[in-house]
Coordinates of all heavy atoms in Angstrom, one line a residue:
M1 N 37.4 164.1 113.9 CA 36.3 164.8 113.4 C 36.4 166.3 113.5 O 35.7 167.0 114.2 CB 35.0 164.3 114.0 CG 34.6 162.9 113.9 SD 34.6 162.4 112.2 CE 34.7 160.7 112.3
E2 N 37.4 166.9 112.9 CA 37.6 168.3 113.0 C 37.7 168.9 111.6 O 38.2 168.3 110.7 CB 38.9 168.6 113.8 CG 40.1 168.0 113.3 CD 41.4 168.5 113.9 OE1 41.4 169.6 114.4 OE2 42.4 167.8 113.9
A3 N 37.2 170.1 111.5 CA 37.2 170.7 110.2 C 38.5 171.6 110.1 O 38.7 172.5 110.8 CB 36.0 171.6 110.0
A4 N 39.4 171.1 109.2 CA 40.7 171.9 109.1 C 40.6 172.6 107.7 O 41.6 172.9 107.1 CB 41.8 170.9 109.1
E5 N 39.5 173.1 107.3 CA 39.3 173.7 106.0 C 39.9 175.1 106.0 O 40.2 175.6 104.9 CB 37.8 173.7 105.6 CG 37.2 172.4 105.4 CD 37.7 171.8 104.1 OE1 37.9 172.6 103.1 OE2 37.7 170.6 104.0
S6 N 40.0 175.7 107.1 CA 40.4 177.1 107.1 C 41.9 177.4 107.1 O 42.3 178.5 107.2 CB 39.8 177.7 108.4 OG 40.2 177.0 109.5
S7 N 42.6 176.3 106.9 CA 44.1 176.5 107.0 C 44.7 176.7 105.6 O 45.9 176.7 105.5 CB 44.8 175.3 107.7 OG 44.4 174.1 106.9
T8 N 44.0 176.9 104.6 CA 44.5 177.1 103.3 C 45.1 178.5 103.1 O 44.6 179.4 103.8 CB 43.5 176.8 102.2 OG1 42.3 177.5 102.5 CG2 43.3 175.4 102.0
T9 N 46.0 178.7 102.3 CA 46.6 180.0 102.1 C 45.6 180.9 101.5 O 44.9 180.6 100.6 CB 47.8 179.9 101.1 OG1 47.6 178.9 100.1 CG2 49.1 179.5 101.9
P10 N 45.5 182.2 102.1 CA 44.5 183.1 101.7 C 44.7 183.6 100.3 O 43.8 184.0 99.6 CB 44.6 184.2 102.7 CG 45.9 184.1 103.4 CD 46.3 182.6 103.3
E11 N 45.9 183.7 99.8 CA 46.2 184.2 98.5 C 46.0 183.2 97.3 O 46.2 183.6 96.2 CB 47.6 184.9 98.4 CG 48.7 183.8 98.5 CD 49.3 183.7 99.9 OE1 48.5 183.9 100.8 OE2 50.4 183.4 100.0
A12 N 45.6 182.1 97.7 CA 45.4 181.1 96.6 C 44.2 181.5 95.8 O 43.1 181.8 96.2 CB 45.0 179.7 97.2
G13 N 44.5 181.7 94.5 CA 43.5 182.2 93.6 C 42.4 181.3 93.3 O 41.2 181.7 93.3
Q14 N 42.7 180.0 93.2 CA 41.7 179.1 92.8 C 41.3 178.3 94.0 O 41.9 178.4 95.1 CB 42.2 178.1 91.7 CG 43.4 177.4 92.2 CD 43.8 176.3 91.2 OE1 43.0 175.6 90.7 NE2 45.1 176.2 90.9
V15 N 40.3 177.5 93.9 CA 39.9 176.6 95.0 C 40.9 175.5 95.1 O 41.0 174.6 94.3 CB 38.5 176.0 94.7 CG1 38.1 175.2 95.9 CG2 37.5 177.1 94.4
A16 N 41.7 175.6 96.2 CA 42.8 174.7 96.5 C 42.2 173.6 97.5 O 42.7 173.6 98.6 CB 44.0 175.3 97.0
K17 N 41.4 172.8 97.1 CA 40.7 171.9 98.0 C 41.7 170.8 98.4 O 42.3 170.1 97.6 CB 39.5 171.3 97.4 CG 38.5 170.9 98.4 CD 37.1 170.8 97.8 CE 36.1 170.6 98.9 NZ 35.7 169.2 99.1
N18 N 41.8 170.7 99.7 CA 42.7 169.6 100.3 C 44.1 169.8 100.0 O 44.9 168.8 100.1 CB 42.2 168.2 99.8 CG 40.7 167.9 100.3 OD1 40.4 168.3 101.4 ND2 40.0 167.2 99.5
L19 N 44.5 171.0 99.6 CA 45.9 171.2 99.3 C 46.7 171.0 100.5 O 46.5 171.6 101.6 CB 46.1 172.5 98.7 CG 47.5 172.8 98.1 CD1 47.8 171.9 96.9 CD2 47.6 174.3 97.7
V20 N 47.8 170.2 100.5 CA 48.7 170.0 101.6 C 49.9 170.8 101.5 O 50.4 171.5 102.4 CB 49.1 168.5 101.7 CG1 50.0 168.3 102.8 CG2 47.8 167.6 101.9
D21 N 50.5 170.8 100.3 CA 51.8 171.5 100.1 C 52.0 171.7 98.6 O 51.3 171.1 97.8 CB 52.9 170.5 100.6 CG 54.1 171.3 101.1 OD1 54.2 172.5 100.7 OD2 54.9 170.8 101.9
T22 N 52.9 172.6 98.3 CA 53.4 172.8 96.9 C 54.9 172.6 96.9 O 55.6 173.3 97.6 CB 53.0 174.2 96.4 OG1 51.6 174.3 96.6 CG2 53.3 174.3 95.0
L23 N 55.4 171.8 96.0 CA 56.8 171.5 95.9 C 57.5 172.7 95.2 O 56.9 173.6 94.6 CB 57.1 170.2 95.2 CG 56.4 169.0 95.7 CD1 56.9 167.8 94.9 CD2 56.7 168.8 97.2
S24 N 58.8 172.7 95.3 CA 59.6 173.8 94.7 C 59.4 173.9 93.2 O 59.6 175.0 92.6 CB 61.0 173.7 95.1 OG 61.5 172.4 94.7
D25 N 59.1 172.8 92.6 CA 58.8 172.9 91.1 C 57.4 173.2 90.7 O 57.0 173.2 89.6 CB 59.3 171.6 90.5 CG 58.4 170.4 90.8 OD1 57.5 170.6 91.7 OD2 58.7 169.3 90.3
G26 N 56.6 173.5 91.8 CA 55.2 173.9 91.5 C 54.2 172.7 91.6 O 53.0 172.9 91.5
T27 N 54.7 171.5 91.8 CA 53.8 170.4 91.9 C 53.0 170.5 93.1 O 53.5 170.7 94.2 CB 54.7 169.0 91.9 OG1 55.5 169.0 90.8 CG2 53.7 167.9 92.0
K28 N 51.7 170.3 93.0 CA 50.8 170.3 94.1 C 50.7 169.0 94.8 O 50.7 168.0 94.2 CB 49.4 170.8 93.7 CG 49.3 172.2 93.3 CD 47.9 172.6 93.1 CE 47.7 173.5 92.0 NZ 46.3 173.7 91.7
V29 N 50.7 169.1 96.1 CA 50.4 167.9 96.9 C 49.1 168.0 97.7 O 48.9 168.9 98.4 CB 51.6 167.6 97.9 CG1 51.4 166.3 98.7 CG2 53.0 167.7 97.2
K30 N 48.2 167.1 97.4 CA 46.9 167.2 98.0 C 46.6 165.9 98.8 O 47.2 164.9 98.6 CB 45.8 167.3 96.9 CG 46.0 168.6 96.0 CD 45.1 168.6 94.9 CE 43.7 168.9 95.3 NZ 42.8 169.0 94.1
R31 N 45.6 166.1 99.6 CA 45.1 164.9 100.4 C 43.9 164.3 99.7 O 43.0 165.1 99.3 CB 44.9 165.3 101.8 CG 44.6 164.1 102.7 CD 44.6 164.4 104.2 NE 46.0 164.8 104.6 CZ 47.0 164.0 104.9 NH1 46.8 162.7 104.7 NH2 48.1 164.4 105.3
R32 N 43.9 163.1 99.5 CA 42.7 162.4 98.9 C 41.5 162.5 99.8 O 41.7 162.4 101.0 CB 43.0 161.0 98.5 CG 44.2 160.8 97.5 CD 44.1 159.4 96.9 NE 43.9 158.4 97.9 CZ 43.7 157.1 97.6 NH1 43.7 156.8 96.4 NH2 43.5 156.2 98.5
V33 N 40.4 162.5 99.2 CA 39.3 162.2 100.0 C 39.0 160.7 100.0 O 39.6 160.0 99.1 CB 38.0 163.0 99.5 CG1 38.2 164.5 99.7 CG2 37.7 162.7 98.1
H34 N 38.2 160.2 100.9 CA 38.0 158.8 101.0 C 37.6 158.2 99.6 O 36.7 158.7 99.0 CB 37.0 158.4 102.1 CG 37.7 158.5 103.4 ND1 38.3 157.3 104.0 CD2 37.8 159.4 104.3 CE1 38.8 157.7 105.1 NE2 38.5 158.9 105.4
R35 N 38.2 157.1 99.3 CA 37.9 156.3 98.1 C 38.1 157.1 96.8 O 37.7 156.6 95.7 CB 36.4 155.9 98.1 CG 36.2 154.9 99.3 CD 34.7 154.7 99.5 NE 34.5 153.9 100.7 CZ 34.3 152.6 100.6 NH1 34.4 152.0 99.4 NH2 34.2 151.8 101.6
Q36 N 38.8 158.2 96.8 CA 39.0 159.0 95.7 C 40.0 158.2 94.7 O 41.1 157.8 95.2 CB 39.6 160.3 96.0 CG 39.9 161.2 94.8 CD 40.5 162.6 95.2 OE1 40.6 162.8 96.3 NE2 40.8 163.3 94.2
R37 N 39.7 158.1 93.5 CA 40.6 157.4 92.5 C 40.9 158.3 91.4 O 41.8 157.9 90.6 CB 39.9 156.1 92.0 CG 39.9 155.0 93.1 CD 39.4 153.8 92.5 NE 39.1 152.8 93.6 CZ 38.5 151.7 93.3 NH1 38.1 151.4 92.1 NH2 38.3 150.8 94.3
A38 N 40.2 159.4 91.2 CA 40.5 160.2 90.1 C 40.8 161.6 90.6 O 40.3 162.1 91.6 CB 39.3 160.3 89.2
C39 N 41.7 162.3 89.9 CA 42.1 163.6 90.2 C 41.0 164.6 90.1 O 40.2 164.5 89.2 CB 43.2 164.0 89.2 SG 43.9 165.7 89.5
N40 N 40.9 165.5 91.1 CA 39.8 166.5 91.1 C 40.4 167.9 90.9 O 39.8 168.9 91.3 CB 39.0 166.4 92.3 CG 39.8 166.7 93.6 OD1 41.0 166.9 93.5 ND2 39.2 166.6 94.8
E41 N 41.6 168.0 90.3 CA 42.1 169.3 90.0 C 41.3 170.0 88.9 O 40.8 169.3 88.0 CB 43.5 169.2 89.4 CG 44.6 169.2 90.5 CD 44.7 170.5 91.2 OE1 45.2 171.4 90.7 OE2 44.2 170.6 92.4
P42 N 41.1 171.3 89.0 CA 40.4 172.0 88.0 C 41.1 171.9 86.6 O 42.3 172.0 86.6 CB 40.3 173.4 88.4 CG 40.7 173.4 89.9 CD 41.5 172.2 90.1
A43 N 40.4 171.7 85.6 CA 40.9 171.7 84.2 C 40.2 172.7 83.4 O 39.4 173.5 83.8 CB 40.8 170.3 83.6
A44 N 40.6 172.7 82.1 CA 40.0 173.7 81.2 C 38.5 173.6 81.1 O 37.9 172.5 81.3 CB 40.6 173.5 79.8
K45 N 37.8 174.6 80.8 CA 36.4 174.7 80.5 C 35.5 174.2 81.7 O 34.5 173.5 81.5 CB 36.1 173.9 79.3 CG 36.7 174.5 78.0 CD 36.5 173.6 76.8 CE 37.3 174.2 75.6 NZ 37.3 173.2 74.5
G46 N 35.9 174.5 82.9 CA 35.1 174.2 84.0 C 35.1 172.7 84.4 O 34.3 172.3 85.2
K47 N 35.9 171.9 83.7 CA 35.8 170.5 84.1 C 36.9 170.2 85.1 O 37.7 171.0 85.5 CB 36.1 169.7 82.8 CG 35.1 169.9 81.8 CD 35.3 168.9 80.6 CE 34.1 169.0 79.6 NZ 34.4 168.2 78.4
I48 N 36.9 168.9 85.5 CA 38.0 168.6 86.4 C 38.9 167.6 85.6 O 38.6 167.1 84.6 CB 37.5 167.9 87.7 CG1 36.8 166.6 87.4 CG2 36.7 168.8 88.5 CD1 36.5 165.8 88.6
C49 N 40.1 167.5 86.1 CA 41.2 166.7 85.4 C 40.7 165.3 85.2 O 40.8 164.7 84.2 CB 42.4 166.8 86.2 SG 43.8 165.7 85.7
A50 N 40.3 164.6 86.4 CA 39.8 163.3 86.3 C 40.8 162.3 85.9 O 40.5 161.1 85.5 CB 38.6 163.1 85.5
G51 N 42.1 162.6 86.0 CA 43.2 161.7 85.7 C 43.2 160.6 86.7 O 42.8 160.7 87.9
H52 N 43.8 159.5 86.3 CA 43.9 158.3 87.2 C 45.0 158.5 88.2 O 46.1 158.9 87.9 CB 44.2 157.1 86.3 CG 44.1 155.8 87.1 ND1 44.9 154.7 86.8 CD2 43.5 155.4 88.3 CE1 44.7 153.7 87.7 NE2 43.8 154.2 88.6
L53 N 44.7 158.2 89.5 CA 45.7 158.3 90.5 C 46.5 157.0 90.7 O 45.9 156.0 90.9 CB 45.1 158.7 91.9 CG 44.3 160.0 91.9 CD1 43.8 160.3 93.3 CD2 45.1 161.2 91.3
K54 N 47.7 157.0 90.4 CA 48.5 155.8 90.5 C 49.5 155.9 91.7 O 50.0 157.0 91.9 CB 49.3 155.6 89.2 CG 48.5 155.2 88.1 CD 49.3 154.9 86.9 CE 49.8 153.5 86.8 NZ 50.4 153.1 85.5
R55 N 49.7 154.8 92.3 CA 50.7 154.8 93.4 C 52.0 155.1 92.8 O 52.4 154.6 91.7 CB 50.7 153.3 94.0 CG 51.7 153.2 95.1 CD 51.2 153.8 96.4 NE 52.2 153.8 97.4 CZ 52.3 152.9 98.4 NH1 51.4 151.9 98.4 NH2 53.2 153.0 99.3
W56 N 52.8 156.0 93.5 CA 54.0 156.5 93.0 C 55.1 156.2 93.9 O 55.0 156.6 95.1 CB 53.9 158.0 92.7 CG 54.9 158.6 91.9 CD1 55.5 158.1 90.8 CD2 55.6 159.9 92.0 NE1 56.5 158.9 90.2 CE2 56.5 160.0 91.0 CE3 55.5 160.9 93.0 CZ2 57.3 161.2 90.9 CZ3 56.3 162.0 92.9 CH2 57.2 162.2 91.9
Y57 N 56.1 155.5 93.5 CA 57.2 155.0 94.4 C 58.4 155.8 94.3 O 59.3 155.9 95.2 CB 57.5 153.6 94.1 CG 56.3 152.6 94.6 CD1 55.4 152.2 93.6 CD2 56.1 152.3 95.9 CE1 54.4 151.4 94.0 CE2 55.1 151.5 96.3 CZ 54.3 151.0 95.3 OH 53.2 150.2 95.6
F58 N 58.6 156.4 93.1 CA 59.9 157.0 92.9 C 59.9 158.5 93.0 O 60.3 159.3 92.2 CB 60.4 156.6 91.4 CG 60.4 155.1 91.3 CD1 59.4 154.5 90.5 CD2 61.4 154.4 91.9 CE1 59.4 153.1 90.4 CE2 61.4 153.0 91.7 CZ 60.3 152.4 91.0
F59 N 59.4 158.9 94.1 CA 59.3 160.4 94.4 C 60.7 161.0 94.7 O 61.5 160.3 95.3 CB 58.2 160.7 95.4 CG 58.2 159.8 96.6 CD1 59.1 159.9 97.6 CD2 57.2 158.8 96.6 CE1 59.0 159.1 98.7 CE2 57.2 157.9 97.7 CZ 58.1 158.1 98.8
P60 N 60.8 162.2 94.4 CA 62.1 162.9 94.7 C 62.4 163.1 96.1 O 61.5 163.0 97.0 CB 62.0 164.2 93.9 CG 60.5 164.5 93.8 CD 59.9 163.1 93.8
A61 N 63.6 163.5 96.4 CA 64.1 163.7 97.8 C 63.3 164.8 98.5 O 63.1 164.6 99.7 CB 65.6 164.2 97.8
E62 N 62.8 165.7 97.8 CA 62.0 166.7 98.4 C 60.7 166.1 99.0 O 60.3 166.5 100.2 CB 61.6 167.9 97.5 CG 60.9 169.0 98.1 CD 60.5 170.1 97.1 OE1 60.7 170.0 95.9 OE2 59.9 171.1 97.6
V63 N 60.1 165.3 98.3 CA 58.9 164.6 98.8 C 59.2 163.7 100.0 O 58.5 163.7 101.0 CB 58.2 163.8 97.7 CG1 57.0 163.0 98.2 CG2 57.8 164.7 96.6
Q64 N 60.3 163.0 99.8 CA 60.8 162.1 100.9 C 61.1 162.9 102.2 O 60.7 162.4 103.3 CB 62.1 161.5 100.4 CG 62.2 160.0 100.8 CD 63.4 159.4 100.2 OE1 64.5 159.2 100.8 NE2 63.2 159.1 98.9
A65 N 61.7 164.1 102.0 CA 62.0 164.9 103.2 C 60.8 165.4 103.9 O 60.7 165.5 105.1 CB 62.9 166.0 102.8
K66 N 59.7 165.7 103.1 CA 58.5 166.2 103.7 C 57.6 165.1 104.3 O 57.0 165.3 105.3 CB 57.7 167.0 102.6 CG 58.3 168.3 102.3 CD 57.5 168.9 101.1 CE 58.1 170.1 100.5 NZ 57.9 171.3 101.2
F67 N 57.5 164.0 103.6 CA 56.5 163.1 104.0 C 57.1 161.7 104.4 O 56.3 160.8 104.8 CB 55.5 162.9 102.9 CG 54.9 164.1 102.4 CD1 55.3 164.7 101.1 CD2 54.1 164.9 103.2 CE1 54.7 165.9 100.7 CE2 53.5 166.1 102.8 CZ 53.9 166.6 101.5
G68 N 58.4 161.6 104.3 CA 59.0 160.4 104.8 C 59.3 159.4 103.6 O 58.6 159.4 102.6
S69 N 60.3 158.6 103.7 CA 60.7 157.7 102.6 C 59.7 156.6 102.4 O 59.7 156.0 101.4 CB 62.1 157.1 102.9 OG 62.1 156.4 104.1
Q70 N 58.9 156.3 103.4 CA 57.9 155.3 103.3 C 56.5 155.9 103.0 O 55.5 155.1 103.2 CB 57.8 154.4 104.6 CG 59.2 153.7 105.0 CD 59.6 152.8 103.9 OE1 58.9 151.9 103.5 NE2 60.8 152.9 103.5
A71 N 56.5 157.1 102.6 CA 55.2 157.7 102.4 C 54.4 157.0 101.3 O 54.9 156.5 100.4 CB 55.4 159.2 102.0
E72 N 53.1 157.0 101.6 CA 52.2 156.5 100.5 C 51.8 157.6 99.6 O 51.0 158.5 100.0 CB 51.0 155.8 101.2 CG 50.1 155.1 100.1 CD 48.9 154.5 100.9 OE1 48.9 154.4 102.1 OE2 47.9 154.1 100.2
V73 N 52.3 157.7 98.4 CA 52.1 158.8 97.5 C 51.4 158.3 96.2 O 51.8 157.3 95.7 CB 53.4 159.5 97.2 CG1 53.2 160.7 96.3 CG2 54.1 160.0 98.5
Y74 N 50.4 159.1 95.8 CA 49.8 158.8 94.5 C 50.0 160.0 93.6 O 50.1 161.1 94.1 CB 48.3 158.6 94.7 CG 48.0 157.3 95.5 CD1 48.1 157.4 96.9 CD2 47.7 156.1 94.9 CE1 47.8 156.2 97.7 CE2 47.5 155.0 95.6 CZ 47.5 155.1 97.0 OH 47.3 153.9 97.8
R75 N 50.1 159.7 92.3 CA 50.3 160.8 91.4 C 49.2 160.7 90.3 O 49.1 159.6 89.7 CB 51.7 160.7 90.8 CG 52.0 161.9 90.0 CD 53.5 162.0 89.6 NE 53.8 161.0 88.6 CZ 54.8 161.1 87.8 NH1 55.6 162.1 87.8 NH2 55.1 160.1 87.0
C76 N 48.7 161.8 90.0 CA 47.8 161.9 88.8 C 48.6 161.7 87.5 O 49.6 162.4 87.3 CB 47.1 163.2 88.8 SG 46.1 163.5 87.3
E77 N 48.2 160.7 86.7 CA 49.0 160.5 85.5 C 48.7 161.5 84.4 O 49.3 161.5 83.4 CB 48.7 159.1 85.0 CG 47.3 158.8 84.7 CD 47.1 157.3 84.3 OE1 48.0 156.5 84.5 OE2 46.0 157.0 83.9
H78 N 47.8 162.4 84.7 CA 47.5 163.4 83.7 C 48.2 164.8 84.1 O 49.0 165.2 83.3 CB 46.0 163.6 83.8 CG 45.4 164.2 82.5 ND1 44.2 163.9 82.0 CD2 46.0 165.2 81.7 CE1 44.0 164.6 80.9 NE2 45.0 165.4 80.7
C79 N 47.9 165.3 85.2 CA 48.5 166.6 85.5 C 49.6 166.6 86.6 O 50.2 167.6 86.9 CB 47.4 167.6 86.0 SG 46.7 167.2 87.7
R80 N 49.9 165.4 87.0 CA 51.1 165.1 87.9 C 50.8 165.7 89.3 O 51.9 165.8 90.1 CB 52.3 165.7 87.3 CG 52.5 165.2 85.9 CD 53.8 164.5 85.7 NE 53.7 163.5 84.7 CZ 54.3 163.7 83.4 NH1 54.9 164.7 83.2 NH2 54.1 162.7 82.5
T81 N 49.7 166.1 89.7 CA 49.4 166.4 91.1 C 49.6 165.2 91.9 O 49.3 164.1 91.6 CB 48.0 167.0 91.2 OG1 47.9 168.1 90.4 CG2 47.7 167.3 92.7
L82 N 50.2 165.4 93.1 CA 50.5 164.3 94.0 C 49.4 164.3 95.0 O 48.8 165.3 95.4 CB 51.9 164.6 94.7 CG 53.1 164.6 93.8 CD1 54.3 164.7 94.7 CD2 53.2 163.4 92.9
Y83 N 49.1 163.1 95.5 CA 48.1 162.9 96.5 C 48.6 162.0 97.6 O 49.2 161.0 97.4 CB 46.8 162.2 95.8 CG 46.0 163.1 95.0 CD1 46.4 163.4 93.7 CD2 44.9 163.7 95.5 CE1 45.6 164.2 92.9 CE2 44.1 164.6 94.8 CZ 44.5 164.8 93.5 OH 43.7 165.7 92.7
L84 N 48.2 162.4 98.8 CA 48.5 161.6 100.0 C 47.2 160.9 100.4 O 46.1 161.4 100.0 CB 49.0 162.5 101.1 CG 50.2 163.3 100.8 CD1 50.5 164.2 102.0 CD2 51.4 162.3 100.6
P85 N 47.3 159.8 101.1 CA 46.1 159.1 101.5 C 45.2 159.9 102.4 O 45.7 160.8 103.1 CB 46.6 157.8 102.3 CG 48.0 157.7 102.0 CD 48.5 159.1 101.6
A86 N 43.9 159.7 102.4 CA 43.0 160.4 103.3 C 43.3 160.0 104.7 O 43.8 158.9 105.0 CB 41.6 160.0 102.9
D87 N 42.9 160.9 105.6 CA 43.1 160.7 107.0 C 42.3 159.4 107.4 O 41.1 159.3 107.1 CB 42.7 161.8 107.8 CG 43.7 162.9 107.9 OD1 44.9 162.6 107.8 OD2 43.4 164.1 107.9
G88 N 43.0 158.5 108.1 CA 42.2 157.4 108.6 C 42.1 156.3 107.6 O 41.5 155.2 107.9
E89 N 42.5 156.5 106.4 CA 42.4 155.5 105.4 C 43.4 154.4 105.5 O 44.6 154.7 105.8 CB 42.5 156.1 104.0 CG 41.9 155.2 102.9 CD 41.8 156.0 101.6 OE1 42.5 157.0 101.4 OE2 41.1 155.5 100.7
Q90 N 43.1 153.1 105.5 CA 44.0 152.1 105.7 C 44.9 152.0 104.5 O 44.5 152.0 103.3 CB 43.2 150.7 105.7 CG 42.5 150.5 107.1 CD 43.4 150.5 108.3 OE1 44.4 149.8 108.2 NE2 43.0 151.1 109.3
P91 N 46.2 152.0 104.7 CA 47.2 151.9 103.6 C 47.1 150.5 103.0 O 46.9 149.5 103.8 CB 48.5 152.1 104.3 CG 48.3 151.9 105.7 CD 46.9 152.1 106.0
R92 N 47.1 150.5 101.7 CA 47.0 149.2 101.1 C 48.4 148.6 100.8 O 49.0 148.9 99.8 CB 46.2 149.4 99.7 CG 44.8 149.5 99.9 CD 44.1 149.7 98.6 NE 43.4 151.0 98.5 CZ 42.9 151.4 97.4 NH1 42.9 150.7 96.4 NH2 42.3 152.5 97.4
T93 N 48.8 147.9 101.8 CA 50.1 147.3 101.6 C 50.0 145.7 101.7 O 48.9 145.2 102.0 CB 51.0 147.7 102.8 OG1 50.4 147.4 104.0 CG2 51.4 149.2 102.7
G94 N 51.0 145.1 101.3 CA 51.0 143.6 101.5 C 50.6 142.9 100.2 O 51.4 142.5 99.4
T95 N 49.3 142.8 99.9 CA 48.9 142.0 98.8 C 49.2 142.6 97.5 O 49.4 141.9 96.5 CB 47.3 141.8 98.9 OG1 46.7 143.0 99.2 CG2 47.0 140.8 100.0
L96 N 49.2 144.0 97.4 CA 49.5 144.6 96.2 C 51.0 144.8 96.1 O 51.6 145.6 96.8 CB 48.9 145.9 96.1 CG 47.4 145.9 95.7 CD1 46.8 147.4 95.6 CD2 47.2 145.3 94.3
S97 N 51.7 144.1 95.2 CA 53.1 144.1 95.2 C 53.6 145.0 94.0 O 54.8 145.2 93.9 CB 53.7 142.7 95.0 OG 53.2 142.1 93.8
Y98 N 52.7 145.5 93.2 CA 53.1 146.4 92.1 C 53.7 147.7 92.6 O 53.0 148.4 93.4 CB 52.0 146.6 91.1 CG 52.3 147.8 90.2 CD1 53.3 147.7 89.2 CD2 51.5 148.9 90.2 CE1 53.6 148.7 88.4 CE2 51.8 150.0 89.4 CZ 52.8 149.8 88.4 OH 53.0 150.9 87.6
Ligands
ZN1 ZN1 45.1 165.5 87.5

């Protein structure tokens, strides 16, 4: 129960909510909030992206190096922002084989 909101980079122009990292190709890596299923990246005209977050297994070596080869990674199918599970969220393994 700690607020880690203040650790974002000060020069970030936009609201980088829950931003964890940015990959060398500019892909953002964010932490999901609990039960989040849709992307909350800002999109055009003050809307949010709202793309579907899909479990992503074939992440590149850079992601693997940062978060581990067994990392649970989700990717927005719209803007390709990556998402990590929320803190304390149970990983959904086992029954889902896709
Ligand atoms: Zn998105």
